[in-house]
Amino acid sequence: MYGAAAICIVAIHLATNATLGFQTDELYYLACGRHLAFGYVDFPPLVPLLARLDTGLLGVTPWALRVLPAIVSGVTVVLSGLYVRRLGGSLVLQGIALLLALTTPLILGTWLFQTVVFDQLTWMLSLYWFLSLLVTRKARYWVLLGITLGVGLETKDTIVPLIAGMGGAVLATPSLRAMLRTRYPWYGAALLFVIWAPNIVWQIANGFPSLTYASNHGGSIAGGGGIAAYLGGLLLILNLLLPLWIAGMISLFRHREMRPIGIAIAVPLVVFLFVGKYYYAGPTIPIAMAQGLIALSHVDRGRLRTWLTSGVVVAALLASAALLKYALPITPASRLHATGLDSVEVFADTVGWPQITNQVTAIYTSLPTSERDTTDIISSDYGVAGALDIFGNQAILPGVYSPQLSDAFWLPSHVAATDALMVGYLPSDVAWMCTSATVVAHLSVPYRDASLEQDAPVTFCHLSEPITSAWSRLRNFS
């Protein structure tokens, strides 16, 4: 049963993963993988390393890059069933949990290669170890929990509120607090910090750029809808299964032995309500759903219990059918605009990167030879820079740089260019660094796709100062 469920979700992803091209963030992860470090501005080092290994083995294609997320989705489906098993649920309930995992946008939507995919795995596995610790009281789960949380900290910083939630749950639970007098919790904590240490050292050495990013990112989250968008996103994920999730959350807090789980997942849900996005705490949903199924199995009236259980299955299938085109890349690029799916950034920003590369290359090669020899390309965002690196003819293109996020660290110490093609900048944006600045073209993304690059200006700039001197002002950690 578990193997069949895992194979099913992996097969779904592998069958649909090549429908759309690289997404903007995927281009960024690939670029970071070519500049391996112990840290990056907006995430720790593990995901770029995985991108480097994945494409090194399978090649640089969207399908190849998305093989690992497909495998991760299989593991998270299995964990969803294991929660119910660990809670003492029957095989039928475990099967329903697997079905819920197979149909939820939370897992169906993990087809892109992104930090959130691997973050989801570390959250769910950490919660499984924590649940196992509560149920069995076996000391080894402290060690496994420490290792997994350490890997989580090297995956995405958003796991910190989960760690805080687990810490609060331990302190609030006498039986767990008593275990702090043994050595195993401290072994787990030590392993966590050993695994996390390389990123801490990198942050110290580079002036804690991730703190600057987090501060800037908090503003962008608030500007993107804030609490209303957060709650709306959670409701979208939960959909018709909202009552089951509510029942699970209530049950976790009503039962003393399960209350630590409730505390552990409530903390990140509340924290991200104010400083995060709705999907950051999404990995807490499966364990709450699992407890909801256990609560459902305790309904005394057999007929009512059967109706409620059947209702959960029907609700999961109906919600999946309604949201399928938003969760999976089953709509080709040529139909995204016609169906309105290009209003979803995840889909919109997968379109047109080879064409954009060709356009920028044509703009550069059309310059007079005297200017072309002194011109480099600067992109306001990492997407264009990443696309030029993958799809561009490196024998023709000059240096290509971006001041956004970690790309800002990759500018060579000596850049001789006296001119620049500024992609994504208007003359008014760069007048301070140019003796003259003129828009020479606008980018065009196929199919009228609502990509961030659609109609982006390309400005030719005669530099008034070296790029290296202007870089600190161009740098963008948001």
Side-chain angles (χ1 to χ4, degrees):
M1 180 169 66
Y2 282 88
I7 291 170
C8 181
I9 191 68
V10 171
I12 288 171
H13 283 307
L14 293 181
T16 58
N17 277 356
T19 304
L20 298 173
F22 287 119
Q23 200 260 356
T24 310
D25 290 344
E26 291 181 315
L27 294 171
Y28 180 44
Y29 299 128
L30 288 170
C32 290
R34 291 189 294 273
H35 297 83
L36 290 177
F38 285 123
Y40 301 87
V41 171
D42 45 336
F43 42 73
L46 182 59
V47 173
L49 176 61
L50 292 176
R52 176 75 169 265
L53 294 173
D54 183 299
T55 54
L57 290 171
L58 302 176
V60 185
T61 67
W63 185 88
L65 183 64
R66 295 165 187 164
V67 167
L68 276 180
I71 294 171
V72 167
S73 69
V75 178
T76 52
V77 163
V78 168
L79 283 170
S80 299
L82 290 177
Y83 288 148
V84 176
R85 181 179 179 181
R86 181 61 81 182
L87 288 166
S90 66
L91 280 175
V92 172
L93 289 181
Q94 292 173 49
I96 294 173
L98 292 171
L99 176 65
L100 298 187
L102 283 170
T103 56
T104 178
L106 184 71
I107 296 176
L108 280 175
T110 57
W111 56 278
L112 286 174
F113 186 98
Q114 292 184 313
T115 51
V116 67
V117 174
F118 303 97
D119 184 51
Q120 181 171 294
L121 174 60
T122 59
W123 278 59
M124 290 184 63
L125 188 55
S126 296
L127 284 167
Y128 181 73
W129 299 140
F130 195 52
L131 174 61
S132 299
L133 178 65
L134 287 174
V135 172
T136 69
R137 304 293 171 174
K138 291 182 178 178
R140 67 171 180 266
Y141 289 115
W142 287 108
V143 176
L144 293 171
L145 182 60
I147 292 171
T148 306
L149 290 174
V151 173
L153 286 166
E154 291 285 38
T155 302
K156 193 171 174 68
D157 297 325
T158 48
I159 202 171
V160 171
L162 178 64
I163 296 173
M166 288 182 173
V170 169
L171 295 177
T173 307
S175 58
L176 291 177
R177 195 166 61 242
M179 296 182 77
L180 296 178
R181 291 193 288 269
T182 69
R183 60 184 182 273
Y184 290 99
W186 306 107
Y187 287 163
L191 287 168
L192 181 154
F193 280 104
V194 166
I195 295 169
W196 191 25
N199 186 237
I200 295 175
V201 171
W202 184 88
Q203 293 288 341
I204 294 170
N206 289 278
F208 295 97
S210 294
L211 293 180
T212 303
Y213 169 77
S215 176
N216 295 338
H217 197 50
S220 68
I221 289 170
I227 292 176
Y230 178 90
L231 294 175
L234 274 182
L235 288 174
L236 183 65
I237 292 176
L238 294 167
N239 210 277
L240 298 177
L241 294 174
L242 176 63
L244 181 66
W245 179 80
I246 292 174
M249 291 296 294
I250 292 173
S251 180
L252 285 171
F253 279 96
R254 284 187 62 186
H255 293 84
R256 182 178 300 175
E257 65 276 12
M258 289 294 106
R259 197 169 298 156
I261 295 291
I263 295 170
I265 66 178
V267 169
L269 281 167
V270 173
V271 168
F272 291 134
L273 178 65
F274 301 100
V275 293
K277 296 182 178 180
Y278 69 90
Y279 56 82
Y280 286 178
T284 65
I285 291 174
I287 198 167
M289 291 289 198
Q291 183 64 24
L293 290 173
I294 297 297
L296 197 62
S297 71
H298 292 158
V299 173
D300 291 332
R301 295 169 57 188
R303 181 172 294 181
L304 176 60
R305 184 170 63 247
T306 300
W307 276 104
L308 290 174
T309 303
S310 300
V312 166
V313 172
V314 172
L317 294 174
L318 288 175
S320 177
L323 296 174
L324 194 63
K325 70 175 184 178
Y326 298 100
L328 285 173
I330 55 178
T331 304
S334 60
R335 295 286 300 159
L336 290 178
H337 182 72
T339 56
L341 284 174
D342 63 343
S343 63
V344 181
E345 185 178 332
V346 164
F347 293 123
D349 291 343
T350 63
V351 179
W353 293 113
Q355 292 89 338
I356 287 171
T357 299
N358 292 338
Q359 290 171 46
V360 174
T361 302
I363 294 166
Y364 171 74
T365 56
S366 68
L367 295 173
T369 303
S370 59
E371 290 181 342
R372 190 164 63 242
D373 292 342
T374 61
T375 298
D376 280 341
I377 298 172
I378 300 176
S379 169
S380 63
D381 67 79
Y382 50 66
V384 173
L388 289 171
D389 202 13
I390 290 176
F391 300 111
N393 185 337
Q394 304 308 313
I396 296 175
L397 289 170
V400 180
Y401 314 111
S402 174
Q404 188 181 27
L405 299 178
S406 298
D407 278 51
F409 285 105
W410 306 333
L411 182 75
S413 56
H414 300 286
V415 179
T418 56
D419 303 296
L421 277 178
M422 310 287 291
V423 181
Y425 295 97
L426 290 167
S428 57
D429 298 328
V430 293
W432 58 272
M433 61 180 288
C434 307
T435 57
S436 65
T438 306
V439 173
V440 294
H442 287 83
L443 299 181
S444 176
V445 182
Y447 315 119
R448 295 184 294 163
D449 181 79
S451 162
L452 293 173
E453 311 303 331
Q454 188 70 271
D455 205 38
V458 181
T459 296
F460 184 77
C461 165
H462 290 291
L463 295 167
S464 61
E465 58 182 310
I467 294 174
T468 50
S469 299
W471 204 243
S472 61
R473 188 169 170 183
L474 277 176
R475 190 177 66 182
N476 175 19
F477 281 2
S478 63

